Amino acid sequence: MMSLNIRRRSAAALLAGAAAIGLLATGCSSGGSGGSGDPATLVAYTGQAGDYQINFNPFSPSRIGALGTIFEPLFFHNKAQVSEPVPLLGTESAWNEDGTVLSVTLREDVKWSDGEAFDAADVAFTFDMIKANPAINTGGFDGEVAAVDDTHVTLTFAEPSFVRGPDLLSTPIVPEHLWKDVNPAEDVIEEPVGTGAYLLEDFKPQAFTYKANPDYWGGEPKVKQIRFLSLSGNQAGADAIAAGTIDWQTGPIPDIQNTHENFPNYDAYTQAQNQMVLATCSSAEQGCTGPQTDPAVRQALYYAMDRTQINSLAFMDTASDMSPTFALTPSQDSFVSAAVTEKTVPVEPDAAKAAELLEGAGWTKGEDGIYAKDGERLSLTIEVVTGWTDYITAVDTIASQAAAAGIEVKAAQSSWNEWTDKKGKGNFQLAIDSLWQGPTADPYYLYNYFFDSSSGAAVGEAAGNNYSRYSNPVVDDAMDALVQMPLDDAAGRQPFFDTIQAEIVRDMPYIPILTGGTTSVWNTTKFTGWPSDDDLYAFPAVWSALDAAEIFKHLEPQG
Amino acid sequence: MSYFLRKIGFYAVALWAALTLNFAIPRMLPGNPVDILLAKLQQRGGTVTPETREAYALLLGGDDTLPLWRQYIDYLGNLFQGDLGVSVSYYPAPVSEVIGQSLPWTVILVGLATVIAAVLGVALGAFVGWKPGTWLDSLIPATTLLAAVPYFWLALLLTYLLARVLGWFPLQGGYDVVLTPGWNAEFIGSAITYGFLPALTIVLASIGGWLLGMRNMMVSTLSEDYILTAEAKGLSPRKILRSYASRNAVLPSVAGFAISLGFVVSGSVITEQVFSYPGIGGRLLGAVSNNDYALMQGLFLFITLAVLGANLVVDLLYGLIDPRTRARS
């Protein structure tokens, strides 16, 4: 009896004490702003959900930072705009005539942040290390690297490899003297030493901080500190913007059009980068089943969409035009074939055109207003991820628009894991998704990822990127030819782009919807120099490490 | 003695069943970790080439080629050596490290909040039950209302009012990240400031249950003959309240309390989401969405052990403090 009483009393005292300390502490710290009080500190949120686990290995897929900011590549390639690569550790690069030897001239007088000098041996070491460790060789590097002298390196390949240039030159370079004893696949590099503009100041699971590198070869950056916070997700990020505790997040916030009116310190900038599509399991030869294996059905669906309505209902009018050739518009317009008549996707529905296409392919309208062929109703299911509300709204909108054109469309929601699994194995008819871009502004990469038959697979087997299982020898051949040509040979490459575009616009294994925007919200009162329409020097997304590193260097604190 | 042996035997079987389920359930999830990792990378604008897929399959894979029974044996064997494996989503960090980093936050926040809610609820319940039918009874609907409101809604409302509008508490996080975690007054003060609001929401949402349970037990205990005897002996009402009525009425609450302590380690996924508070809940959510089998298993193991352990302790304690339980068995 005594003991129980004592315990209860002490618990009550503990509670009272805790409450008192709590109130006291609140009284002292003014507001508790999450640490953005210091004007020279930029606080960013990368979308990391939950705590950070330390990992500053630039080759690790679970890295939390260091790529670009601490470990620099040879060149920076801007994927937001067609432009010359920005020299970083390299100053010049050139391919030989047949694309088998890439020569790179390196910057002189660069030092690692521990004081050692950077030279060609480090570059050679980095590439050799990647080649020797298949688990980190994400670019499939199989060439020979040689340091000619302190400032010249050559990469030699057995086959023409022009198209690999941007990926190779974006490889982060690491110091030989520290990495020679490191297992690059498994070491988390708790104390990263690089050549970049920033140094790691401290790490905590809830936040990590960079500080400016005073000896950076390009001059000490003006933003002196960058802190990355961990929050619980995009919603928490939007809350933090509203509370003014973070300076940059890439992700949606409510009422995006009026960001500046709602939060006077902030501005929102949307860069159209991901082309949203209804991906189809397109190839009957590979085992796909369903009406969508008929190109006429895919075309009809393409014309049945009312994209103005989709954009306003599902995407808050942040989506933009798209070219049916999948060359990103407007930044890659120069690659679009002259033979393609529709430069951008139709914004208004064209039911007559859809009907004409379907009837031309032998479909007839049934009594219920839905087309049918050989007793098979034109009914399709679109797979969408649970909780991806913009896509779900888009699919519902498309369903009602398709019904008007005599096509029945149903939505099937599943978890992200299950959805990914269905796509990979080919157990789907249609899936709403977006296609991503390559390492630089060039449509070759997207064609290679999504339309090349080598990354497809039969239904039931796991496909690579080309999960539509599109397989077209004409496209494959054109792509093989493009590999043989330097990226800057626009005149030579264009005929092959024309061929690819003619084929994929006709076959349409991915039905274009619109180009989705990536929206960044950033603090324009504290910092200037953010990318803009006039000067889009990098793809503005805080989670895109190499781009973010470039942006950090451009920013200037105000006042 | 046989009572304790039987209990422990039962818990051993329960533990084995839990471990087996723990192995099986994550493997029934669709998808595999490499696909999820790649999907995540490409969503983040990374370029995913066929070579990338190969490299990451090589980095993370390996396990899946073994037959399932082999994986099961290895799993049990590793568990007994305390090896929980390597987390895929935080590769190459070991699971025990990932959990160890988050566990203290959860145990302190949810643990303290549970203790406070239970102590307050039981004390108030005893008091309310002591005088049934008075205005104090209105505490019951008031607190059950708080418990009935969906927790996330209550949490969001309080956050909006106390953090956004009034600015009394910080909105998100576990402490001011400028500070370095450690045993210094500044950090602890900051942690308390940041933890106050999340703890408040947990206490408000769960106090109703304790209060209601205790109050009802009090009412039925008060009608027992021994209370009448105590009153007849002329003991003071306070003495009767504390030593006779409450002590008997609190027994079911003690059992409930031990069990709810077991659930503390599972954290509070919603609390952590709303407040961006560090802890186990966020890890669990991440593990499930990333098909991170090892981390899932590790987390479920901790939760299972804590719940089983708490139950075992209650069972054994019950045998000690309430001889009737032991006699009947």
Side-chain angles (χ1 to χ4, degrees):
Chain A
M1 169 193 156
M2 254 343 266
S3 68
L4 200 73
N5 267 342
I6 286 169
R7 213 177 300 147
R8 194 177 302 153
R9 213 173 289 147
S10 58
L14 192 74
L15 169 71
I21 294 170
L23 288 171
L24 208 72
T26 324
C28 298
S29 76
S30 56
S33 61
S36 69
D38 182 3
T41 303
L42 185 145
V43 185
Y45 174 55
T46 60
Q48 162 82 17
D51 292 353
Y52 286 111
Q53 190 74 37
I54 193 163
N55 189 339
F56 292 103
N57 181 340
F59 302 107
S60 169
S62 38
R63 66 172 173 263
I64 57 171
L67 178 61
T69 38
I70 295 174
F71 296 106
E72 287 183 300
L74 295 167
F75 288 83
F76 168 73
H77 290 82
N78 183 1
K79 53 190 166 191
Q81 213 170 38
V82 181
S83 56
E84 285 292 308
V86 177
L88 295 175
L89 289 179
T91 52
E92 274 168 59
S93 77
W95 284 98
N96 68 347
E97 194 86 338
D98 48 0
T100 52
V101 179
L102 175 63
S103 319
V104 184
T105 309
L106 303 176
R107 192 174 292 280
E108 290 173 40
D109 301 325
V110 175
K111 291 244 186 310
W112 297 104
S113 56
D114 63 355
E116 297 265 335
F118 157 85
D119 64 23
D122 292 311
V123 179
F125 167 79
T126 302
F127 282 99
D128 278 334
M129 178 184 76
I130 290 172
K131 194 175 161 188
N133 289 278
I136 61 162
N137 195 354
T138 54
F141 174 68
D142 56 1
E144 291 297 329
V145 59
V148 180
D149 57 41
D150 273 359
T151 56
H152 289 85
V153 172
T154 57
L155 297 160
T156 311
F157 298 88
E159 288 165 359
S161 302
F162 291 112
V163 292
R164 288 181 170 185
D167 270 329
L168 292 169
L169 297 175
S170 301
T171 304
I173 305 299
V174 296
E176 179 177 14
H177 63 280
L178 295 173
W179 280 65
K180 59 178 187 283
D181 305 316
V182 157
N183 176 350
E186 303 209 335
D187 199 303
V188 294
I189 313 294
E190 293 190 15
E191 289 164 5
V193 170
T195 57
Y198 286 91
L199 309 170
L200 180 65
E201 185 171 19
D202 69 357
F203 168 84
K204 291 163 220 154
Q206 288 73 34
F208 65 90
T209 309
Y210 292 147
K211 61 177 182 216
N213 179 356
D215 304 319
Y216 183 53
W217 55 262
E220 184 178 354
K222 299 198 177 68
V223 177
K224 297 300 175 205
Q225 269 192 329
I226 303 169
R227 179 168 298 122
F228 291 87
L229 288 188
S230 75
L231 297 172
S232 61
N234 279 338
Q235 180 56 48
D239 290 346
I241 291 277
T245 51
I246 58 174
D247 299 318
W248 183 10
Q249 99 144 342
T250 301
I253 67 164
D255 193 18
I256 227 161
Q257 263 76 17
N258 298 314
T259 303
H260 194 65
E261 284 70 42
N262 296 340
F263 313 114
N265 290 341
Y266 292 88
D267 250 326
Y269 183 80
T270 302
Q271 163 71 6
Q273 194 77 4
N274 293 306
Q275 306 182 22
M276 297 183 286
V277 295
L278 288 179
T280 68
C281 191
S282 67
S283 167
E285 293 92 65
Q286 301 274 22
C288 296
T289 54
Q292 85 288 351
T293 52
D294 181 350
V297 170
R298 308 199 286 257
Q299 292 270 4
L301 208 46
Y302 170 74
Y303 285 109
M305 283 186 231
D306 179 347
R307 292 180 173 79
T308 314
Q309 193 184 33
I310 297 173
N311 198 358
S312 73
L313 290 182
F315 302 115
M316 301 196 292
D317 286 319
T318 56
S320 57
D321 269 340
M322 171 170 174
S323 163
T325 63
F326 287 93
L328 205 57
T329 189
S331 61
Q332 298 172 13
D333 278 349
S334 56
F335 294 95
V336 176
S337 161
V340 173
T341 47
E342 275 173 16
K343 294 295 176 207
T344 54
V345 291
V347 290
E348 300 301 323
D350 189 345
K353 179 101 182 187
E356 186 190 320
L357 283 160
L358 287 174
E359 278 155 21
W363 295 84
T364 47
K365 209 166 199 164
E367 282 170 11
D368 55 355
I370 303 295
Y371 281 93
K373 183 178 176 180
D374 307 330
E376 186 195 9
R377 284 177 83 234
L378 183 36
S379 173
L380 296 158
T381 305
I382 304 181
E383 305 287 342
V384 59
V385 176
T386 316
W388 290 11
T389 47
D390 52 347
Y391 279 178
I392 293 169
T393 313
V395 168
D396 289 343
T397 314
I398 291 172
S400 66
Q401 294 165 357
I407 305 171
E408 186 180 65
V409 170
K410 293 181 226 152
Q413 293 190 24
S414 48
S415 73
W416 191 19
N417 306 25
E418 197 176 347
W419 178 81
T420 309
D421 193 53
K422 281 178 181 170
K423 281 195 316 173
K425 296 224 172 73
N427 298 324
F428 71 105
Q429 292 186 321
L430 300 173
I432 187 164
D433 197 4
S434 62
L435 306 189
W436 64 89
Q437 294 290 317
T440 185
D442 189 313
Y444 164 80
Y445 296 98
L446 185 140
Y447 296 150
N448 180 39
Y449 299 159
F450 295 102
F451 294 93
D452 193 309
S453 63
S454 67
S455 63
V459 170
E461 289 166 30
N465 294 327
N466 178 10
Y467 61 92
S468 78
R469 291 153 162 81
Y470 183 62
S471 166
N472 182 339
V474 180
V475 172
D476 289 350
D477 288 346
M479 239 136 15
D480 289 343
L482 282 170
V483 174
Q484 317 274 339
M485 271 177 246
L487 294 182
D488 52 9
D489 181 10
R493 296 169 89 214
Q494 193 57 44
F496 297 101
F497 282 129
D498 292 352
T499 311
I500 294 174
Q501 289 169 3
E503 297 289 317
I504 65 173
V505 168
R506 188 195 64 220
D507 293 341
M508 213 171 270
Y510 304 89
I511 305 167
I513 305 175
L514 286 162
T515 308
T518 299
T519 302
S520 275
V521 181
W522 44 48
N523 190 329
T524 46
T525 309
K526 270 174 79 179
F527 300 97
T528 55
W530 300 102
S532 64
D533 283 338
D534 300 327
D535 186 12
L536 197 54
Y537 56 85
F539 172 54
V542 68
W543 36 252
S544 188
L546 294 173
D547 296 279
E550 207 56 24
I551 293 171
F552 291 141
K553 282 189 274 181
H554 276 72
L555 294 181
E556 281 184 41
Q558 290 294 94
Chain B
M1 197 60 215
S2 76
Y3 168 79
F4 294 111
L5 278 182
R6 221 156 355 106
K7 280 286 164 205
I8 288 171
F10 169 77
Y11 278 100
V13 174
L15 179 64
W16 170 78
L19 289 181
T20 306
L21 281 176
N22 189 7
F23 172 81
I25 291 173
R27 281 173 174 72
M28 290 179 194
L29 287 173
N32 70 64
V34 176
D35 277 345
I36 294 294
L37 180 68
L38 290 174
K40 227 167 140 184
L41 274 186
Q42 48 109 330
Q43 240 200 353
R44 307 240 125 166
T47 55
V48 177
T49 61
E51 289 83 7
T52 319
R53 189 178 295 271
E54 267 167 47
Y56 289 158
L58 210 63
L59 187 71
L60 306 176
D63 294 357
D64 291 332
T65 50
L66 284 173
L68 214 56
W69 64 269
R70 206 44 251 216
Q71 291 182 40
Y72 180 65
I73 306 263
D74 287 354
Y75 159 77
L76 287 182
N78 287 338
L79 272 189
F80 283 107
Q81 293 162 23
D83 178 7
L84 298 174
V86 170
S87 160
V88 170
S89 48
Y90 296 103
Y91 189 87
V95 167
S96 44
E97 196 182 308
V98 176
I99 296 178
Q101 193 178 287
S102 305
L103 199 60
W105 292 99
T106 297
V107 169
I108 292 174
L109 174 73
V110 187
L112 270 183
T114 307
V115 170
I116 292 170
V119 169
L120 270 183
V122 166
L124 279 175
F127 196 58
V128 172
W130 182 244
K131 296 177 176 166
T134 61
W135 65 273
L136 282 171
D137 269 357
S138 58
L139 264 180
I140 307 269
T143 51
T144 39
L145 176 75
L146 288 176
V149 173
Y151 170 75
F152 75 91
W153 182 240
L154 178 74
L156 285 174
L157 275 181
L158 280 176
T159 316
Y160 181 75
L161 277 178
L162 299 182
R164 182 78 73 80
V165 176
L166 296 172
W168 291 356
F169 300 103
L171 197 60
Q172 295 166 321
Y175 58 95
D176 190 340
V177 292
V178 177
L179 305 172
T180 308
W183 294 112
N184 55 73
E186 207 182 6
F187 169 72
I188 293 172
S190 170
I192 290 173
T193 320
Y194 276 76
F196 194 83
L197 192 52
L200 182 67
T201 61
I202 299 177
V203 169
L204 281 181
S206 55
I207 198 169
W210 297 110
L211 201 156
L212 187 65
M214 185 61 188
R215 183 252 181 204
N216 291 350
M217 276 311 290
M218 270 305 269
V219 170
S220 60
T221 312
L222 284 181
S223 62
E224 297 282 348
D225 291 344
Y226 56 80
I227 301 291
L228 199 66
T229 315
E231 279 170 352
K233 275 200 318 195
L235 292 177
S236 73
R238 288 183 62 131
K239 178 96 176 159
I240 297 174
L241 168 67
R242 283 208 316 248
S243 310
Y244 289 77
S246 305
R247 266 202 82 193
N248 277 294
V250 85
L251 277 176
S253 295
V254 168
F257 176 67
I259 291 170
S260 62
L261 274 190
F263 280 103
V264 161
V265 287
S266 67
S268 175
V269 174
I270 302 175
T271 315
E272 288 171 23
Q273 283 294 303
V274 172
F275 296 100
S276 289
Y277 201 84
I280 287 290
R283 298 291 204 191
L284 186 58
L285 202 66
V288 172
S289 58
N290 290 318
N291 274 28
D292 191 341
Y293 300 135
L295 186 52
M296 259 188 273
Q297 283 169 352
L299 288 165
F300 290 148
L301 180 75
F302 261 83
I303 297 167
T304 314
L305 285 181
V307 174
L308 281 178
N311 274 293
L312 179 64
V313 168
V314 171
D315 265 353
L316 298 180
L317 271 184
Y318 245 61
L320 280 182
I321 58 176
D322 193 352
R324 286 169 297 182
T325 346
R326 204 170 27 190
R328 225 172 278 141
S329 52

